[in-house]
Amino acid sequence: MVAEGARRRVVVEVCNARNLMPKDGQGTACAYAVVDFDGQRRRTATRPRDLNPQWGERLEFLVHDPDAMASETLELNLYNDKKAIAATGSGRRGGTFLGKVKVAGASFAKAGDEALVYYPLEKRSVFSQIKGEIGLKIWFVDDPPPPPPAAPAAEEKGADAAAADKKEAPAEGKGEKAPDAAAAAAAAPAEEKAEAAPAEEKKAEEAKTEEKKPDAAEKKDDKGGKKKSPEKGKKDGEKPKEEGKAKEDDKKDAAAPPPSPSKQAPPPSPSKKDLAIAGIAGDLEIRPQSAAEKSMAASGASASYDLVDRVPYLFVRLLKAKRHGGGGGQPLYAQLAIGTHAVRTRAATAAGEWDLVFAFHKDSLTDTSLEVTVHEEAKKPAKEGEPVPPDANLGFVSFDLQEVPKRSPPDSALAPQWYTLEGHGSEDGAAACDVMLAVWVGTQVDEAFQEAWHSDSGGYLVHTRSKAYLSPKLWYLRLSVIQAQDLRLPSPPDAKVKQCGPIFPELYVKAQLGAQVFKTGRVPLGSAAAGTSNPSWNEDLLFVAAEPFDPFLTVVVEDVFSGQPVGQARVPLSTVHRRSDDRVEPPSRWLNLCGDEARPYAGRVHVRVCLEGGYHVLDEAANVASDVRAASKQLSKPPVGMLEVGIRGAANLVPMKIAKDGASGSTDAYVVLKYGPKWARTRTILDQFNPRWNEQYAWDVFDPCTVLTIAVFDNVRYKVADAGGDPGKLPKDSRIGKLRIRLSTLDTNRVYMNTFPLTAVHPVGVRKMGELELAIRFTCPSWLTLMQAYGSPLLPRMHYVKPLGPGQQDVLRHTAMRIVSGRLARSEPPLGPEVVQYLLDTDTHSWSMRRSKSNWFRVVGCLSHVATAVRWAHRVRTWAHPPTTVLVHALLVAVVLCPEMILPTVCLYLFLVLLWRYRARPRQPTGMDPRLSHVDSVSPDELDEEFDGLPSCRPADVVRMRYDRLRAVAGRAQTLLGDVAAQGERVEALLSWRDPRATGVFAAVCLLAALVLYAVPFKVLLLGMGFYYLRHPRFRGDMPSAGFNFFRRLPSLSDRVL
């Protein structure tokens, strides 16, 4: 937030451009940039005849509304100045479009966190010839508010302070004019402004003329004509008029008396003249509406909670109580009673202040009246053993629920009122206490609902409340270990020296960040292989760093021979360089190694450390990722839409907590949703098999090909936690079920209301746990923006320029999972590690016979279409249906005689097939598929093996049996891989003369085929081959063909395998 009276500026540093498209006809370009932001326009200088221009210019923009900066878009257009060299002061100048860049305001960095980012130049239309990229640094600065104006000179020089106060009082209270001396002092700077205004107005007018230039230049490029450049200054005859107007305006402003200092607290919005004086074209006040604002305007402000049912609640807000006559000074507490519901507040101080809100589910109320009673705690007896007197009843107030007012946002909150308590048993019958409260009927949309006491969630239990969580922002920390110098090794133990003799020590570098430890390879010191006494590694170590970062990265050089560290150094993460791509190499540094007391200086190590902002740190499996944005904020793009999910309720949940007698059970269910870095958790509905939450959440969508994950859990830890149990030994919440919904399978701007089955895999078996009712809506204001997302890369650029290995990605992903689960477990209320790991699929890469079967049959299902085509071709070939075979003959003749119709016919056929299948498209989003997961055919032992951890904790005979089964499965897979390799080796043997006779026959056949193909027309050859393949069965034998037999007899390398 910006302080009141402060001003925010956006600074754009146009650094350089690379590999621009030549536009001047001589293989070069004279480039300049025009930047537009918040209705303001700035222009850089022209760099003549350079396809890699360097500017290094800073352009500043005043932000009119800092709160709306995130919805603004900065646009940079690059042009080629055609008259850059030969232009004169009065000559016309034209521009040819070189590319544009759009940067969302939400990606602007704060001053000090900016980094050089290279943006690829975008096309203006499909036919534009654009290439290259431009490097920008964008940040914003919040200037402090201006100091209050100094006291007038006349008041400072007054002889009497009391007389000065008398002069100031009417000036501040009634707004009278200041003294003449003060007016003269205030008019002096106004005259200076009036004198400087004409020169500033000239600059503003030049900015106006430059504003019109790019649009006209773009039109000229599209038409291809040789029109004159629209970029020119105002005519000489127009300048005096504009200057005269500016002088008149300044004179008027100077003549106006300055306002009183007491009335200058709220700073006025800058006028056009003030913007012109600041170097900003005020008449360019264009505020485009963002996509999010357009979406909200289209859906209406009342769109919140429109996917769920509005559930009525009775709200009671208790503020405080007030005794009559002072009272006894004991703490007060209140009690609310509605039928069987009875709630007691905490004991307040003598003033009786509670400020609590209670929400009663209206359908669960069993009475038609609400009674609020105030009690005063009795004094403790002075002596032990004496009976404790009962609490004093100060009276009650009753409300008829039929007369309680109703309220729904955006109505203002109901003001609490004082109510006099009745029923106080005093002798004179006077009231003893008043209570301030408010009672109304609202819904879950009410702003007081989130922090209220809930009748269906156990009251004020922390572990049953609904909350939203944010995953920590993750970065990749890259440590490049280059070499070490001046190492002073520790002396090894004498026993090792005598036993091993003169052996060259082996050194490696170990780096540690928090709980992450990675090591480089070993390098022998002083050996002939090393060639020098300074070891060199040139290895990269990658860590996962989470904001707020750990204070230090520890680098240790260790000796394998002595088993002792040579020295260590610490790198503060606050000083680590941040980069967003690979174009800028991070600076290297030398770290001094600290040894023991005998070696305070143990050498130095050369490293390069940087935080990689161009990667997306995966904390979930890549195939079910919900966010693919880069870690650097400057690389983020505006959202393409909004996802809204309404958790309506669940039905037929199974009992998760079974009583000791086994005759009854209960379920305390809650739902957790995960999309992007935002997690949402609903409140826990206690002891309900058909809970109704009716909560709605929303997320910004940056990529439509992402997945929403929803899971239902049974709350087990709330009882132990609220009873004061050890937080580290709380029981784990039980899984009820999980489902995923891919956003690309949803139609935009449509509401889906579905019931999804909840199926969970447990060590004892697979069972249906219930059903979850959801309402989902994916809103996208621009269909074109959504289509552009399909053509963009799934992951940021660094994943393709400097890709990470599969093994390295798996290690980093599990590290990120542990960091996220650890951070969310420290929230209040905590989100348990078992919940986070279940939604992030931490065990997706562990061995499971069930998953192996599922993946195998998925591959078979993909190849089933090929098998179907092969079977159809075999039926045609064997004349199983003669009319079809005759039609295929005709089609073959048509294709051979008109080959240019092959591709159009295939594309038309695919279009018709897709059009026909459109009728059978999925109408509703699908959840988890038990049949695809093969949960029906899994055995109990396979399930027990799936849930067994590493290392295994099962008996030795069970582990041996599972190992033998795994060997049998692996043996079949090994045979399949050998058969596939044998086919490829037979093809290689055909060309390598391993079998001289077979290769000689093949060479003769190739020569004969060349002669035949040279003499016979190609169309005739195709027709002959087609008719031969489709010949009647009476002309075909039952044995395999000669070519097939010839290929099967070729040798493979399987006979050479040991």
Side-chain angles (χ1 to χ4, degrees), residues 35 110 165 271 309 540 596 612 641 646 654 683 739 808 1035 1057:
V35 186
K110 196 174 182 179
D165 294 339
S271 62
D309 299 331
D540 290 347
D596 50 15
E612 297 283 5
V654 299
R683 68 186 190 279
L739 60 95
Q808 191 177 28
F1035 303 109
V1057 177

Side-chain angles (χ1 to χ4, degrees), residues 50 395 554 562 586 784:
D50 193 356
T554 305
S562 63
L784 182 60

Side-chain angles (χ1 to χ4, degrees), residues 246-322:
K247 290 181 180 179
E248 293 177 2
D249 296 340
D250 293 338
K251 289 180 180 178
K252 293 179 181 178
D253 295 339
S260 175
S262 63
K263 295 186 178 181
Q264 290 182 354
S269 59
S271 62
K272 294 182 179 180
K273 172 182 168 299
D274 297 331
L275 295 176
I277 293 176
I280 301 171
D283 55 347
L284 298 179
E285 190 79 21
I286 301 174
R287 297 290 302 278
Q289 193 177 22
S290 65
E293 293 174 351
K294 292 180 181 178
S295 175
M296 292 304 296
S299 59
S302 62
S304 61
Y305 281 85
D306 59 340
L307 300 180
V308 296
D309 299 331
R310 299 289 183 96
V311 182
Y313 281 87
L314 176 66
F315 289 90
V316 181
R317 183 179 182 185
L318 277 172
L319 265 74
K320 54 186 176 180
K322 179 176 62 176

Side-chain angles (χ1 to χ4, degrees), residues 45-369:
T46 302
R47 294 293 178 259
R49 300 184 182 279
D50 193 356
L51 295 180
N52 300 287
Q54 301 281 338
W55 285 286
E57 299 184 21
R58 294 188 177 183
L59 309 176
E60 293 190 2
F61 299 86
L62 180 63
V63 181
H64 298 156
D65 188 1
D67 295 334
M69 187 187 71
S71 61
E72 298 287 346
T73 302
L74 184 142
E75 182 173 354
L76 182 144
N77 291 272
L78 204 61
Y79 297 96
N80 171 48
D81 195 345
K82 292 184 177 180
K83 301 290 184 179
I85 299 177
T88 59
S90 60
R92 292 177 175 268
R93 305 177 68 183
T96 306
F97 185 70
L98 291 176
K100 67 176 181 179
V101 169
K102 290 185 178 181
V103 183
S107 63
F108 295 169
K110 196 174 182 179
D113 296 336
E114 69 276 3
L116 178 60
V117 180
Y118 283 89
Y119 298 92
L121 295 175
E122 301 176 0
K123 296 182 178 181
R124 183 178 54 204
S125 63
V126 180
F127 304 101
S128 301
Q129 296 183 357
I130 302 300
K131 70 174 184 177
E133 56 191 6
I134 186 168
L136 302 176
K137 288 184 179 180
I138 307 175
W139 68 93
F140 64 89
V141 181
D142 292 331
D143 296 331
E155 296 175 359
E156 293 179 357
K157 296 179 180 180
D160 191 7
D165 294 339
K166 293 180 180 179
K167 292 180 182 179
E168 288 180 5
E172 294 177 357
K174 300 182 181 179
E176 295 180 359
K177 295 184 179 180
D180 296 339
E191 292 178 359
E192 295 178 1
K193 290 184 179 179
E195 294 176 359
E200 299 294 340
E201 288 291 327
K202 290 181 182 180
K203 296 181 180 179
E205 292 298 324
E206 291 178 359
K208 294 179 183 179
T209 57
E210 290 178 359
E211 174 193 358
K212 300 178 181 179
K213 176 187 63 176
D215 298 334
E218 293 175 7
K219 294 179 180 178
K220 184 196 67 175
D221 293 341
D222 293 341
K223 294 180 180 179
K226 296 183 178 180
K227 296 182 181 180
K228 294 182 178 180
S229 170
E231 181 191 5
K232 59 181 180 180
K234 293 287 184 182
K235 295 182 180 179
D236 298 336
E238 296 178 359
K239 292 183 179 179
K241 297 180 181 179
E242 299 295 336
E243 294 174 0
K245 293 180 181 178
K247 290 181 180 179
E248 293 177 2
D249 296 340
D250 293 338
K251 289 180 180 178
K252 293 179 181 178
D253 295 339
S260 175
S262 63
K263 295 186 178 181
Q264 290 182 354
S269 59
S271 62
K272 294 182 179 180
K273 172 182 168 299
D274 297 331
L275 295 176
I277 293 176
I280 301 171
D283 55 347
L284 298 179
E285 190 79 21
I286 301 174
R287 297 290 302 278
Q289 193 177 22
S290 65
E293 293 174 351
K294 292 180 181 178
S295 175
M296 292 304 296
S299 59
S302 62
S304 61
Y305 281 85
D306 59 340
L307 300 180
V308 296
D309 299 331
R310 299 289 183 96
V311 182
Y313 281 87
L314 176 66
F315 289 90
V316 181
R317 183 179 182 185
L318 277 172
L319 265 74
K320 54 186 176 180
K322 179 176 62 176
R323 292 187 184 88
H324 292 176
Q330 288 296 111
L332 304 179
Y333 66 90
Q335 185 172 1
L336 289 76
I338 310 177
T340 58
H341 290 283
V343 186
R344 173 179 169 174
T345 66
R346 67 177 185 273
T349 58
E353 296 182 356
W354 298 292
D355 195 10
L356 300 176
V357 180
F358 299 87
F360 298 90
H361 198 289
K362 198 171 182 182
D363 294 341
S364 63
L365 301 181
T366 59
D367 201 348
T368 59
S369 64

Side-chain angles (χ1 to χ4, degrees), residues 453-744:
W453 177 95
H454 298 150
S455 61
D456 55 355
S457 298
Y460 278 115
L461 300 181
V462 176
H463 288 74
T464 63
R465 309 188 71 81
S466 61
K467 290 293 180 181
Y469 306 84
L470 283 178
S471 297
K473 190 174 183 180
L474 302 178
W475 296 70
Y476 282 145
L477 177 66
R478 184 185 298 271
L479 172 65
S480 300
V481 183
I482 303 174
Q483 64 175 352
Q485 290 183 356
D486 305 333
L487 295 181
R488 299 181 180 180
L489 303 181
S491 57
D494 297 338
K496 287 191 174 182
V497 173
K498 295 179 181 178
Q499 181 179 1
C500 301
I503 298 179
F504 294 109
E506 292 183 350
L507 303 179
Y508 66 89
V509 177
K510 180 180 70 175
Q512 181 175 0
L513 178 65
Q516 308 173 58
V517 178
F518 293 100
K519 301 178 182 179
T520 64
R522 299 180 179 181
V523 174
L525 181 64
S527 63
T532 178
S533 59
N534 298 325
S536 178
W537 290 276
N538 292 318
E539 294 186 24
D540 290 347
L541 304 178
L542 274 181
F543 301 85
V544 178
E547 294 183 356
F549 298 121
D550 293 333
F552 297 102
L553 169 68
T554 305
V555 181
V556 184
V557 179
E558 293 190 357
D559 181 13
V560 181
F561 175 65
S562 63
Q564 300 179 4
V566 178
Q568 68 175 3
R570 287 185 173 184
V571 180
L573 262 66
S574 58
T575 63
V576 172
H577 175 77
R578 301 186 183 188
R579 69 171 184 176
S580 56
D581 51 28
D582 63 326
R583 299 179 180 91
V584 180
E585 193 71 21
S588 61
R589 61 175 72 179
W590 286 94
L591 303 178
N592 293 329
L593 299 176
C594 298
D596 50 15
E597 296 180 356
R599 297 176 298 107
Y601 173 74
R604 60 177 185 169
V605 60
H606 193 197
V607 298
R608 185 179 288 112
V609 190
C610 70
L611 287 167
E612 297 283 5
Y615 288 95
H616 169 70
V617 182
L618 288 171
D619 58 349
E620 51 194 346
N623 59 328
V624 294
S626 60
D627 188 15
V628 291
R629 291 177 294 168
S632 177
K633 181 182 177 182
Q634 298 173 342
L635 296 180
S636 62
K637 296 182 179 180
V640 298
M642 178 181 293
L643 173 65
E644 297 170 274
V645 182
I647 309 298
R648 300 177 63 85
N652 304 323
L653 297 181
V654 299
M656 301 298 296
K657 303 181 184 73
I658 307 299
K660 294 182 178 180
D661 56 358
S664 61
S666 63
T667 299
D668 308 320
Y670 68 93
V671 183
V672 179
L673 303 90
K674 199 269 180 185
Y675 183 79
K678 178 182 174 181
W679 302 64
R681 168 178 175 165
T682 66
R683 68 186 190 279
T684 301
I685 305 296
L686 301 181
D687 197 12
Q688 288 287 336
F689 297 131
N690 299 287
R692 305 296 298 179
W693 291 283
N694 286 302
E695 299 184 18
Q696 186 169 335
Y697 302 93
W699 290 267
D700 287 332
V701 178
F702 296 88
D703 194 302
C705 300
T706 46
V707 177
L708 167 70
T709 306
I710 306 173
V712 185
F713 295 88
D714 176 57
N715 199 332
V716 181
R717 62 175 64 198
Y718 79 93
K719 292 183 178 180
V720 181
D722 293 319
D726 186 5
K729 298 180 180 179
L730 294 179
K732 296 182 179 180
D733 292 343
S734 303
R735 306 174 181 178
I736 296 180
K738 179 174 63 176
L739 60 95
R740 302 189 191 96
I741 298 174
R742 186 170 292 274
L743 269 61
S744 58

Side-chain angles (χ1 to χ4, degrees), residues 319-323 351-352 415-421 433-437:
L319 265 74
K320 54 186 176 180
K322 179 176 62 176
R323 292 187 184 88
Q417 300 179 7
W418 285 105
Y419 293 89
T420 301
L421 300 183
C433 183
D434 292 344
V435 63
M436 178 179 281
L437 56 87

